[in-house]
Amino acid sequence: MTDKLAIAINEAASSNGELRALLKLAAQGPDVYEKGTRNFTNPLPRKCSFVGPRSGCHTDMVKRTRFDDHACAIARTADLLGDWWMPLVVRELLMGRKRFNEIQERLDINRSLLSTRLARLESEGIVERIRYQEHPPRDEFVMTDKGRALWDVLAVMGAYGEQWLFDELPEIEFYDKRSGDRTEPIVIDRVTGQPLDVTTTRRRPSVDDVASQP
């Protein structure tokens, strides 16, 4: 622990044991912080710095650029799936897990983080919240057609990971439940019926966008 970190902890948390514990967890990195703060009601901002003139926790540091109104479809999808938890939450929903506790236990995710991501998915029309019990009130999260369409995205992400991020085949694989064969997703152009190739694919303004310009 650095001298500046020790000073920051002592000054900020001299009379608050919970805050002291939070600061210590934050100093060990985001993964340790997330796992260690499940029982805290008011976690700190995710990004804290204890080195340099801006030592401490800064809420402005957690703001990120939004791409939900960007002209590029990849940028808009990245805005939706661009943090490390969201694709995993979507994966669990697509695999048939509908209840909050099921997803939380499977992912070992902070409950407040999961609540935030499920709320975003609901606001985007990816999931629909359905009440299955009134007393106490409990909901299920059911994928919509828009949500189920994300399977194509995750399948290609998985194929990329298997090819480039593992020295050997991963312990967990996807397979066709009808044949039992391992799946190997590729991206096919609906118009030509051929696999998409980056060397023959380019970007341009869409026909509708060009027609709308004066």
Side-chain angles (χ1 to χ4, degrees):
M1 182 181 298
T2 67
D3 291 340
K4 288 188 177 182
L5 173 56
I7 292 171
I9 291 174
N10 289 331
E11 290 182 352
S14 59
S15 61
N16 188 322
E18 182 170 294
L19 180 57
R20 180 188 294 270
L22 284 168
L23 287 167
K24 287 181 178 180
L25 289 168
Q28 298 177 61
D31 292 336
V32 174
Y33 176 74
E34 283 185 8
K35 289 185 178 181
T37 56
R38 292 194 181 90
N39 296 323
F40 290 98
T41 54
N42 296 300
L44 294 168
R46 284 190 53 82
K47 294 197 175 181
C48 298
S49 172
F50 300 98
V51 179
R54 298 193 65 194
S55 63
C57 295
H58 308 287
T59 55
D60 60 325
M61 293 177 67
V62 301
K63 294 179 181 178
R64 66 184 180 91
T65 302
R66 295 296 302 269
F67 297 110
D68 52 345
D69 61 350
H70 201 282
C72 175
I74 293 176
R76 292 196 183 197
T77 306
D79 184 82
L80 176 63
L81 298 176
D83 77 73
W84 56 72
W85 281 117
M86 190 66 92
L88 300 182
V89 172
V90 172
R91 182 196 67 188
E92 295 305 309
L93 289 163
L94 286 168
M95 291 291 99
R97 294 178 180 88
K98 303 176 182 179
R99 299 184 179 180
F100 186 97
N101 287 341
E102 291 178 333
I103 301 170
Q104 193 269 329
E105 290 173 5
R106 283 282 300 179
L107 295 179
D108 196 23
I109 182 178
N110 182 292
R111 294 179 69 86
S112 64
L113 291 176
L114 179 57
S115 294
T116 300
R117 280 144 186 82
L118 287 172
R120 172 75 190 279
L121 292 173
E122 184 180 10
S123 70
E124 296 285 350
I126 302 296
V127 299
E128 181 181 1
R129 186 191 296 257
I130 298 177
R131 179 63 50 89
Y132 72 89
Q133 179 178 303
E134 290 294 340
H135 304 290
R138 299 186 187 278
D139 299 324
E140 289 183 335
F141 298 89
V142 179
M143 279 297 207
T144 63
D145 289 342
K146 183 178 179 180
R148 284 186 288 272
L150 284 171
W151 171 242
D152 295 351
V153 180
L154 265 62
V156 173
M157 287 176 63
Y160 178 89
E162 287 186 0
Q163 181 173 357
W164 297 106
L165 304 180
F166 286 85
D167 294 329
E168 300 177 355
L169 286 177
E171 296 179 4
I172 299 175
E173 66 179 15
F174 291 100
Y175 67 93
D176 187 313
K177 67 179 183 180
R178 296 163 297 185
S179 66
D181 294 332
R182 177 173 166 272
T183 60
E184 297 185 19
I186 60 174
V187 181
I188 300 293
D189 179 21
R190 191 189 304 272
V191 176
T192 66
Q194 299 297 315
L196 280 180
D197 187 336
V198 69
T199 63
T200 59
T201 304
R202 295 291 181 268
R203 297 198 312 164
R204 67 185 179 193
S206 66
V207 174
D208 291 341
D209 186 55
V210 173
S212 65
Q213 296 181 10

